[in-house]
Amino acid sequence: MRHIISILVENEAGALSRISNMFSARGYNIESLTVAPTEDASMSRLTVVTKGSDEVIEKITKQLNKLVEVVKVVDLSEAEHMERELMLIKLRAGPKEREDVKRMADIFRGRVIDVSDNTYTIELTGDGAKLDAFIQALDQSAILETVRTGACGIGRGNRILRA
Amino acid sequence: MDRIKTEELTGAQILIRCLQAEGVEVVFGYPGGAVLWIYDELFKQDKVRHVLVRHEQGAAHAADGYSRSSRKVGVCLVTSGPGLTNAVTGIATAYMDSIPMIIISGQVPTHAIGEDAFQECDTVGITRPCVKHNFLVRDVKDLAMTMKKAFHIATTGRPGPVLIDIPKDVTTHSCEFQYPETVSMRSYNPVKKGHAGQIKKAMQLLQQAERPMVYTGGGIVLSNAAAQLKDLIKRTGFPITHTLMGLGAYPATDDQFLGMLGMHGTYEANMAMQHCDVLLAIGARFDDRVIGNPAHFAQNPRKIIHIDIDPSSISKRVKVDVPIVGNIPDVLDEFLVQLRDKNPQNISAWWKQIGEWRGKDCLKYDRQSKIIKPQFVLEKLYEVTGGDAFITSDVGQHQMWAAQFYKFEQPRRWINSGGLGTMGFGLPAAMGVQMANPGATVACVTGESSIQMCLQELSTCKQYRLPIKIINLNNKYMGMVRQWQQFFHGNRYSESYMDALPDFVKLAEGYGHSGLLIDKPADVEPALRETFKRKSDLVFLDFITDQGENVYPMIPGGKGITEMILSEDL
């Protein structure tokens, strides 16, 4: 089963490598991984999307907690949570295609953030499935480049992850 | 207001002061370009003694042996690049067995890092998977706190090696020095006390058990819980077995001890593990060499209680019913309190069954042999040393025979590389043991293949007058490899024969020690008696042993714990 795990970690050189190394060394899968500092500059928050049975996920969280620089670990998918991912996608958009591309972006509530003579670059946020659906809806040959951040997530309501 | 007095010191001076503040008496190391300033400061003081090894792997193993055989922290000091990479085997060895150890490595100056400088390597990157934690100190102002954290991390929770990488310029820069008295890390707070509710549940299970079994590992030794363990076993009357790493935690000569379990464990220990109804596992991790195939192990629906300081060791290979995360002595103290005023249940039927298994006499071997049997050497070693020696070992058949035949009565006397299985460990580890226990009897049980992996340390032994007794079981084969090839590879002894062996007696003499070749069973005991009388000499005993001898019992890889091959089966 797919799990989304949030990790608070000391913002120190090598911390990210320690975490990704643990996954590869023990043969756990990483579907996506995002990381950035939090409002407290001494800490970063990572979001890892992984797949595995309940036993495997338990092992992953235990191994993460064992790392000296890891402050907290939460399996967001254990309860209500929200997930977002950002995608930037560059599409061929000559005079003929422009209108269609723009309409499709609007349907998915994407925004055109860069325009050239024959390209549109669109910014789109949502959960992974929505981004997949957008890609599916496009003329595949028009896709010039895509970049996705991987998921980040947060618990609903009073579910708060802090040091 | 009084200002706390501080002084301005260089990084190298700070490092030495930190070691002194931590009570470090010995450092095992090897100098080089990046650590010259540190060595300069070592030279100027006499509180921290330096032992010059002949290869950095030896430094790491020696620091490791020092730590295992005492309650102190082993420290090793190596230079950048090859100094560090040579030590990696030793660091990984300590990591696999959770040994508290500090490794200080020199690094190229901060401005040169990443530029492929001479003797540069990515030390924190290379060692990251085989240390509990590591640090690169980029600013001399962080050095003292980093040292404090390193000792704290290495010795608390599940212990382990911690490495501090120090660039050369950091050793020359200076700042105000004051060694921190306390350390607090929001991300690192190992638990101590076990969960009271879980302990209660465990007690209920244990009191209702008809076929209880206690299985303990290195965690008892590392947490200094042997006294509590003995109390528990005596109070309950339960049978107990140890892993390879746990030997000595409970006296091996006591009747309640069933011997070591696992791949080369006793028949009775393995049978009792499989057929018990409640299993109490303490500071052990159900690894592949212990329980064999986990699916086979799970066929018996026993209840498992597991006490360990490391949550990630619980339910890793085997599903546990009552996990108790905590410091073992604290948890066992709680057990003992709850056992007060309680009479142990009658488990005589279980003991009768165990007695039958014992009757197999699974460690028997041919005592009439005209060729020296390795088991015989170890039995005599045990007798001659009165069971009171520190025994280090290398890895292979000799290690298993030592574990089977030397009856360890106390913890921290059996020093071997259990997890990583590092050939070459024995001799340098024995140096560390002897440094930590001056005057004690130290023997290194080894084989002709293992001993050659760190042989150069014979020179270190000479320099520091370390009177280690080397018990070389020489069968001219990598014995354990040969045994597997015999059992599982159709007697095709691919590259396991050790040709062109040196004359070990002359070799020992070349290094300034004595050596003796023993090739008759009748000479074994006299040679050992003579050797152990020589309190101040290193003696290399080269025993020419039976080439075809195998270690029994044996659970073939991937098989179940009761699917043992016994000597009588062949």
Side-chain angles (χ1 to χ4, degrees), chain B residues 206-212 236-238 343-352:
Chain B
L206 289 172
Q207 279 159 12
Q208 289 159 9
E210 288 171 14
R211 300 184 308 280
T236 55
F238 292 172
N343 291 323
Q345 68 268 44
N346 181 348
I347 53 165
S348 55
W350 177 227
W351 273 113
K352 187 165 169 280

Side-chain angles (χ1 to χ4, degrees), chain A residues 10 17 42 59 62 68, chain B residues 128 134 186-187 314 316:
Chain A
E10 295 289 350
S17 164
S42 71
K59 287 181 194 182
K62 281 175 172 175
V68 168
Chain B
R128 199 172 280 135
N134 60 16
R186 64 178 164 188
S187 63
I314 292 176
K316 186 168 71 177

